[in-house]
Amino acid sequence: MKIVDGDKAECARCEEVYPLADVSLLEKETNRDYERVLCEECVEVVGVPQGYSLRRDITFLAR
């Protein structure tokens, strides 16, 4: 996960930078080390595959 300026994150798919309130965190249920930040548009394309969970509110990561 790439946090930018303390309150923004880079989407792992499209590489655009968004405020933390506008991105979600895709996590693999069997491997908590696997996390990918995705913007809303990319979440719609990728979806949530079986074995993964989506955390919509990651604003707690802001510095």
Side-chain angles (χ1 to χ4, degrees), residues 11-28:
C11 177
R13 186 169 183 275
C14 69
E15 299 181 349
E16 293 290 324
V17 176
Y18 296 92
L20 286 176
D22 295 340
V23 295
S24 299
L25 189 64
L26 185 66
E27 299 174 308
K28 192 170 190 173

Side-chain angles (χ1 to χ4, degrees), residues 2-42:
K2 190 170 186 181
I3 303 287
V4 181
D5 294 333
D7 63 346
K8 297 177 186 147
E10 183 179 306
C11 177
R13 186 169 183 275
C14 69
E15 299 181 349
E16 293 290 324
V17 176
Y18 296 92
L20 286 176
D22 295 340
V23 295
S24 299
L25 189 64
L26 185 66
E27 299 174 308
K28 192 170 190 173
E29 293 173 354
T30 58
N31 181 359
R32 289 295 179 188
D33 290 331
Y34 180 92
E35 0 179 86
R36 298 293 182 262
V37 173
L38 296 173
C39 66
E40 199 169 315
E41 185 176 307
C42 289

